[in-house]
Structures are given as structure tokens and as C-alpha cells.
Amino acid sequence: MIEYRYDTQLLIEGKNLSEDAINDYFNNNFKGDCLLAVGDDTLIKIHFHTNEPWKVLEYCASLGEIYDIVVEDMDRQARGLKG
């Protein structure tokens, strides 16, 4: 059984973005694992496993424009189904 079902990935384009602030927010407000938040002050790549991807999308959209959004169901993938 997968603890955090949804592999959530996206890009955030904005101004004055901070990897450290985003990492801190995720760690303090979301349950999940495998966090990757890397980039610069105008573009950040997010990768995160969670059971509540909509919360991740909502937060990230508050920081700037989000795109290249992918939410894959890793439980379905583990069962050989399309994620």
C-alpha cells in the first residue's frame, strides 16, 4: 500500500519566488513525502507525493502562474493501470 497516493508535479512562474519559503510551507502545512522544490526567483519546479494534490495546486497558484501540471495516481500505476 502506498502511503501518499498522488505524485504531483508542476511549474510555478512568478516573481520573488523562494525555494526555502516554499519548502518550509510544504513541510509545515502538507502531509506527504519526496518533496522537490527547485529553481530560481522566477521559476520553481515542484514534485511532491501527497493524498491531497488539490491543496498543493491551490497553494502554488497563490504564488504565481502554474503550468505543466501532472497528478498521477501511483496506486493505480502499481496495479498496472494507467495512472
Side-chain angles (χ1 to χ4, degrees):
M1 173 131 186
I2 297 172
E3 183 175 4
Y4 298 108
R5 183 173 184 162
Y6 299 101
D7 179 4
T8 307
Q9 302 174 51
L10 62 117
L11 295 172
I12 309 168
E13 187 173 15
K15 295 180 181 176
N16 302 316
L17 299 173
S18 166
E19 290 177 356
D20 292 336
I22 292 169
N23 273 296
D24 288 345
Y25 189 90
F26 270 74
N27 289 323
N28 292 322
N29 294 281
F30 299 135
K31 292 180 182 177
D33 62 12
C34 298
L35 174 62
L36 176 66
V38 295
D40 58 31
D41 64 342
T42 61
L43 185 67
I44 300 282
K45 165 74 175 182
I46 300 291
H47 174 269
F48 189 58
H49 296 170
T50 183
N51 290 327
E52 302 172 317
W54 54 90
K55 291 183 179 182
V56 171
L57 297 175
E58 183 178 42
Y59 167 67
C60 292
S62 76
L63 300 176
E65 185 176 356
I66 60 174
Y67 63 101
D68 285 350
I69 300 163
V70 176
V71 178
E72 295 180 322
D73 186 333
M74 296 184 296
D75 181 59
R76 285 182 55 85
Q77 289 176 340
R79 291 183 285 136
L81 303 171
K82 192 167 191 147

